[in-house]
Amino acid sequence: MDTNTVLAKNIYILRKQKGLTQEKLAEIMGVSYQAVSKWENEKSSPDVSILPLLADTLGCSIDTLFSRQNDVLIGNLKEITIEMLASLVSLEEKKRRILEIARDGKVDESELEDFVFIQKELDQISMAVEALQRWSKKMIANGKINVKKYEELIKR
């Protein structure tokens, strides 16, 4: 995983753990919510001059923002599950809209807002799945999950 990907995922996870919306983090940081969205979606990175404020706001060190392996970023199973289920429910409500948008194979301007919303929900599900995988690895390493049984079930 490259540095920009690690930073993007860590900002997202730490923001969620703090219970901050992109809008609220943007307000605190003095940037637009689109800037925060771009950070989390690897479209850009925060300017180095605001990294100390970002780290303070997210309750971590600058090192943690760039850390590839940090227990702080793993979260707990309950939080991960709730986040994943919330995104799945949100997508369930948009199921017909997804089909309408996909029908002609293009995204019209009238469909763009829903398309972007759906994309963001899918990104959140993807990040929740990655958090669940990190949580599982931690539990295996700590002997809290039977590794043989786990691997057997994963192979099915």
Side-chain angles (χ1 to χ4, degrees):
M1 208 178 320
D2 72 10
T3 303
N4 198 38
T5 301
V6 169
L7 178 61
K9 291 181 186 310
N10 289 350
I11 292 171
Y12 171 81
I13 292 167
L14 289 163
R15 177 180 64 77
K16 288 291 198 174
Q17 286 180 350
K18 283 288 188 185
L20 297 171
T21 62
Q22 286 183 341
E23 291 80 7
K24 186 62 180 172
L25 179 58
E27 179 185 320
I28 293 167
M29 298 301 302
V31 299
S32 68
Y33 77 89
Q34 293 96 334
V36 174
S37 177
K38 287 179 181 179
W39 299 343
E40 293 181 358
N41 290 299
E42 301 178 58
K43 305 278 189 262
S44 69
S45 295
D47 187 89
V48 71
S49 65
I50 65 171
L51 288 176
L53 176 59
L54 180 60
D56 287 346
T57 302
L58 297 176
C60 68
S61 67
I62 293 173
D63 287 345
T64 298
L65 289 174
F66 291 93
S67 176
R68 293 175 193 271
Q69 297 177 350
N70 194 307
D71 287 346
V72 169
L73 303 180
I74 291 174
N76 69 52
L77 184 57
K78 181 179 176 183
E79 291 169 351
I80 294 166
T81 303
I82 289 171
E83 184 175 323
M84 191 180 306
L85 289 174
S87 291
L88 288 170
V89 166
S90 182
L91 279 177
E92 179 65 27
E93 294 168 358
K94 292 282 188 182
K95 187 168 36 177
R96 266 194 228 118
R97 188 64 175 139
I98 294 168
L99 293 171
E100 289 171 10
I101 293 170
R103 191 179 335 246
D104 64 1
K106 61 183 179 180
V107 180
D108 296 329
E109 193 155 331
S110 64
E111 300 169 325
L112 193 54
E113 186 174 336
D114 287 338
F115 181 76
V116 169
F117 172 83
I118 291 163
Q119 238 182 333
K120 285 181 178 182
E121 290 301 317
L122 290 170
D123 285 343
Q124 288 184 355
I125 291 168
S126 175
M127 288 185 198
V129 167
E130 288 178 25
L132 184 59
Q133 290 169 335
R134 285 192 305 273
W135 181 88
S136 298
K137 287 178 184 177
K138 180 182 177 188
M139 294 300 108
I140 289 168
N142 291 338
K144 295 183 179 180
I145 291 179
N146 179 328
V147 68
K148 288 181 183 178
K149 182 72 172 177
Y150 179 83
E151 289 174 352
E152 175 187 313
L153 293 170
I154 289 288
K155 289 179 183 176
R156 287 188 187 173

